[in-house]
């Protein structure tokens, strides 16, 4: 699993959590090429795209032939977008991921419980401090989930 971050501190934690490699997307803006180098030019079978339009070109560069790009978020929203010719040559599938139904959530929670998965929780805020939680999330200082309890 190859992870990306702009923070050296987060890079250390990603390696501790099991990432095989971490790429700094600020000092290495063409990180898609580095993913290919790290995978003997094969590319990544699955790319989890949280940047959106601002990072999709690098995701296409990073994805293996006939791999999957799962479009989850848009934190790097801009108008750069994607080159459709590059996307065609990748042979990849671009799949939009959205929140599911309540029963989907319950299914997911059963899988999390059965496999004893432990989500990475950065900080829990009481409900009365929900605005502080939103500001903290917006700061980008967190690593993992920011939770509001009730
Ligand atoms: N579709 C859905 O069902 C679904 C579900 C959950 C979340 N989302 C969306 O997914 C996105 C991420 O959510 P999250 O909870 O994973 O957020 P998060 O924990 O804040 O993670 C955001 C990640 O994006 C990176 N990032 C920020 N700006 C970037 C840029 N310009 N270029 C490249 N990477 C950048 C951050 O890197 P650093 O390590 O440098 O901070 C961090 O690794 C949000 O847009 C959220 O709304 C969608």
């Amino acid at each position: 699993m190859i992870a990306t971050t702009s923070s050296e501190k987060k890079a250390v934690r990603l390696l501790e959590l099991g990432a095989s490699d971490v790429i700094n997307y600020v000092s290495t803006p063409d990180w898609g090429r580095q993913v290919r180098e790290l995978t003997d030019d094969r590319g990544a079978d699955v790319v989890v795209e949280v940047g959106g339009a601002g990072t999709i070109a690098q995701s296409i560069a990073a994805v293996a032939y006939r791999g999957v790009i799962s479009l989850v978020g848009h934190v790097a929203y801009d108008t750069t977008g994607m080159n459709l010719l590059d996307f065609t040559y990748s042979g990849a599938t671009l799949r939009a991921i959205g929140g599911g139904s309540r029963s989907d959530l319950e299914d997911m929670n059963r899988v999390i419980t059965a496999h004893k998965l432990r989500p990475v929780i950065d900080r829990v805020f009481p409900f009365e401090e929900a605005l502080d939680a939103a500001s903290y999330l917006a700061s980008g200082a967190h690593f993992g989930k920011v939770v509001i309890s009730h």
Side-chain angles (χ1 to χ4, degrees):
M1 200 269 284
I2 302 171
T4 59
T5 182
S6 63
S7 152
E8 294 307 316
K9 215 167 129 189
K10 290 183 184 179
V12 171
R13 293 202 57 195
L14 288 161
L15 290 167
E16 284 169 1
L17 283 169
S20 57
D21 300 276
V22 179
I23 305 173
N24 186 313
Y25 60 82
V26 174
S27 57
T28 309
D30 57 342
W31 50 263
R33 188 181 51 76
Q34 194 165 345
V35 170
R36 300 206 87 83
E37 283 172 13
L38 289 168
T39 55
D40 290 330
D41 208 27
R42 176 188 162 87
D45 294 323
V46 177
V47 178
V48 180
E49 171 61 275
V50 296
T55 50
I56 188 73
Q58 289 306 311
S59 292
I60 292 169
V63 73
Y65 183 63
R66 295 197 171 161
V68 173
I69 301 172
S70 293
L71 177 61
V72 175
H74 302 270
V75 295
Y77 181 78
D78 70 17
T79 53
T80 312
M82 63 199 275
N83 179 316
L84 284 174
L85 200 56
D86 288 346
F87 180 62
T88 302
Y89 290 142
S90 77
T93 298
L94 177 61
R95 178 177 297 149
I97 305 287
S101 64
R102 179 183 175 128
S103 68
D104 288 341
L105 180 73
E106 288 168 352
D107 285 349
M108 181 186 77
N109 287 343
R110 270 192 289 277
V111 171
I112 289 173
T113 304
H115 293 279
K116 298 186 170 56
L117 300 181
R118 295 177 57 204
V120 177
I121 295 172
D122 179 285
R123 198 164 152 191
V124 181
F125 288 79
F127 183 75
E128 298 70 36
E129 294 173 19
L131 286 179
D132 293 334
S135 302
Y136 180 60
L137 183 71
S139 78
H142 61 288
F143 182 94
K145 295 297 167 196
V146 177
V147 177
I148 299 170
S149 66
H150 62 85

